[in-house]
Amino acid sequence: MKLDNLSKYTEIDREKLELIRSAMPEMEVREKVYYSKDLIEDQMDFSPELSLNAPPIDYKITKVCPKCGRKYPDSEIFCFDCAVALKDIEKVNVRQIDINHEFTVEGENSYTDFNEILTAENLLELTKFEFERDDFNEIIRNIKLKALKNLDSAIKANEIDLDTLSILEKVILFTKSFVNVEYKSYGQELGFYRFNSIFVDDRQLDALQITTMLHELTHFLIKEILTHILCRLLDASKTKEMESIVTFILSYSAENCLIDEYAAHTVEGRFTLIGYQDYSSFLNIQKTIERSKDEIDMLKTIGNSLANTVKEIVESFIDIDLLEDIKKQFRRDILDEPDYSQLMLENCTLLNDVGFLRAIEFIIVDGFAVSMDNIEKLNQINEMW
């Protein structure tokens, strides 16, 4: 009996096929084979791994149905289900894509002058702090919804096939749904955030660029959340003047800088392998603060609570599969031995709803009062947007 005569007796081992497919992420195989119902039923086309005698077939996915979105190998020319011609999948350079990511807030007042905003009446209004957890949750939902719409619009407008993107490119695309991403090739900093733009050193390994973007995105989101809260308390539209006040509030004191930086490190650490956390910039700020250990711990708790909110936003985009891919990217790129000493800086305490809102009240009200005496500095910040 000749072995090649056995091919007519073959059928697809569906159980093994599904097992192989489920193992693909573990094996870091990105290409998937799609079968039409007719082909499966006729047993005419299946993975060469499942038949030793099958001729080699190129199953590289290069085409997509413009109607249903199903992907096909290069050998196919039309969609079996939709009966329309396939189009080539084109690789998109996400670094060159600009995404409209403006987060608006509409209010009764539209302030464009600091002298109109920084008044005793507005300070009194802030001290009332008529703001509940439901109000906070609504702000977070609005930010997430807007970013999701930004991302969806960018994918459709640029005909982006996410399967063609690298892990780094996926994170760039997601980050651009919130904020500008630009690149730097000088200095020792891995990256920094400034005036609704993130600057990343693209000379770095992919894994470090990813964690840097998530670190800097946290700074943006904390600024954005506090700006939305300030606008709601004053029934004001979001203007660059309102953003400048919050930018000043987050930077005028070492304590607020510490909270902001700790939150960014905490979010970054969520997407970094255990043993590779780095709190160096946080420690540099801590050295400038003369506070007791208990007070420092509370600042870290506030930062940790803010980080918890930011992680909720970020994890709406980075699902468990992409998270695992980021970890794998980290394993491929980073050769240094893990250093678990930084884990001693982890804060495992969260504020409850009442305490969290109180902390935000302190940050905004105290910072607003200080802003009233620093209009010249605010004008300087405002000119930089």
Side-chain angles (χ1 to χ4, degrees):
M1 181 182 292
K2 293 183 179 180
L3 294 177
D4 57 358
N5 290 333
L6 297 177
S7 60
K8 60 182 178 182
Y9 298 108
T10 63
E11 67 179 17
I12 296 174
D13 184 340
R14 299 175 187 276
E15 182 177 352
K16 183 174 285 187
L17 178 61
E18 289 304 315
L19 179 62
I20 292 172
R21 283 177 171 171
S22 66
M24 279 183 176
E26 297 287 335
M27 300 160 56
E28 298 197 339
V29 175
R30 295 286 173 256
E31 295 170 359
K32 296 182 180 179
V33 179
Y34 290 82
Y35 301 90
S36 74
K37 296 175 182 177
D38 292 337
L39 284 179
I40 291 178
E41 290 171 357
D42 293 341
Q43 301 172 8
M44 294 173 60
D45 201 357
F46 50 89
S47 176
E49 288 84 358
L50 303 181
S51 174
L52 296 176
N53 297 302
I57 302 175
D58 182 9
Y59 278 107
K60 185 176 182 181
I61 302 302
T62 63
K63 296 181 180 179
V64 64
C65 173
K67 187 173 181 181
C68 69
R70 175 176 289 181
K71 296 168 190 172
Y72 288 87
D74 189 58
S75 58
E76 303 298 339
I77 59 174
F78 68 94
C79 177
F80 300 100
D81 293 330
C82 303
V84 298
L86 302 176
K87 61 181 297 185
D88 292 336
I89 297 175
E90 297 182 4
K91 184 72 164 28
V92 177
N93 188 345
V94 298
R95 288 181 52 155
Q96 297 178 351
I97 293 176
D98 291 323
I99 300 179
N100 179 17
H101 44 62
E102 183 178 359
F103 294 85
T104 60
V105 180
E106 301 298 331
E108 186 68 25
N109 304 302
S110 182
Y111 295 117
T112 58
D113 187 302
F114 290 118
N115 290 312
E116 294 179 351
I117 308 172
L118 301 168
T119 64
E121 291 78 12
N122 279 340
L123 178 59
L124 179 61
E125 193 65 30
L126 292 180
T127 58
K128 297 177 184 176
F129 205 74
E130 297 176 347
F131 189 81
E132 303 294 337
R133 183 71 200 199
D134 287 345
D135 299 318
F136 183 83
N137 291 341
E138 183 181 350
I139 286 174
I140 301 305
R141 281 196 301 271
N142 290 340
I143 291 174
K144 286 198 290 188
L145 181 60
K146 174 60 177 171
L148 284 167
K149 289 180 178 178
N150 295 342
L151 180 61
D152 185 58
S153 296
I155 290 173
K156 290 179 179 177
N158 296 278
E159 297 184 339
I160 298 173
D161 177 16
L162 294 176
D163 289 339
T164 67
L165 301 183
S166 68
I167 301 166
L168 173 61
E169 288 172 328
K170 289 178 182 178
V171 178
I172 291 173
L173 185 65
F174 141 70
T175 304
K176 281 189 170 188
S177 302
F178 291 91
V179 66
N180 299 322
V181 177
E182 302 183 32
Y183 301 92
K184 61 185 284 289
S185 56
Y186 57 88
Q188 296 182 347
E189 291 178 302
L190 294 178
F192 57 89
Y193 162 73
R194 183 175 63 196
F195 303 108
N196 292 346
S197 290
I198 289 173
F199 296 82
V200 180
D201 193 333
D202 56 1
R203 298 172 299 176
Q204 297 294 330
L205 297 168
D206 285 9
L208 294 180
Q209 291 186 58
I210 289 170
T211 52
T212 297
M213 272 190 288
L214 296 176
H215 179 108
E216 305 305 332
L217 177 61
T218 301
H219 289 309
F220 164 78
L221 285 172
I222 289 175
K223 183 276 302 178
E224 194 67 26
I225 291 168
L226 294 183
T227 301
H228 284 233
I229 294 173
L230 180 61
C231 287
R232 177 166 295 207
L233 290 170
L234 297 180
D235 193 13
S237 297
K238 179 183 166 186
T239 61
K240 65 177 183 177
E241 286 74 18
M242 299 294 282
E243 288 188 276
S244 293
I245 291 174
V246 172
T247 299
F248 174 79
I249 289 173
L250 287 170
S251 61
Y252 82 91
S253 75
E255 286 80 2
N256 286 355
C257 288
L258 193 75
I259 291 169
D260 193 25
E261 194 63 25
Y262 188 82
H265 278 300
T266 301
V267 174
E268 174 189 346
R270 170 70 176 88
F271 303 93
T272 306
L273 291 177
I274 295 295
Y276 296 94
Q277 283 67 30
D278 178 13
Y279 282 88
S280 54
S281 55
F282 162 81
L283 292 172
N284 289 334
I285 298 172
Q286 184 178 328
K287 292 175 184 176
T288 68
I289 300 177
E290 295 182 1
R291 294 269 189 172
S292 68
K293 181 182 181 303
D294 288 344
E295 289 173 320
I296 294 294
D297 284 344
M298 179 49 67
L299 293 174
K300 290 167 66 177
T301 296
I302 297 171
N304 195 44
S305 299
L306 283 168
N308 202 48
T309 296
V310 172
K311 285 189 289 185
E312 176 190 335
I313 297 173
V314 172
E315 288 172 350
S316 297
F317 295 79
I318 299 182
D319 59 16
I320 190 65
D321 292 333
L322 183 52
L323 175 58
E324 287 304 312
D325 284 343
I326 291 173
K327 290 179 180 179
K328 290 173 184 175
Q329 184 71 54
F330 215 91
R331 293 188 189 100
R332 286 195 293 265
D333 289 349
I334 307 301
L335 301 178
D336 297 338
E337 290 296 320
D339 177 7
Y340 300 103
S341 63
Q342 293 282 304
L343 294 177
M344 299 298 293
L345 295 169
E346 292 281 355
N347 180 289
C348 298
T349 307
L350 289 171
L351 295 167
N352 62 21
D353 286 352
V354 175
F356 185 51
L357 293 180
R358 288 295 302 276
I360 291 175
E361 178 184 352
F362 294 151
I363 292 171
I364 289 179
V365 174
D366 291 352
F368 191 90
V370 176
S371 299
M372 296 171 70
D373 296 324
N374 286 273
I375 291 181
E376 183 177 347
K377 177 64 176 177
L378 288 167
N379 282 321
Q380 293 174 0
I381 294 174
N382 211 42
E383 292 173 0
M384 297 180 186
W385 290 98

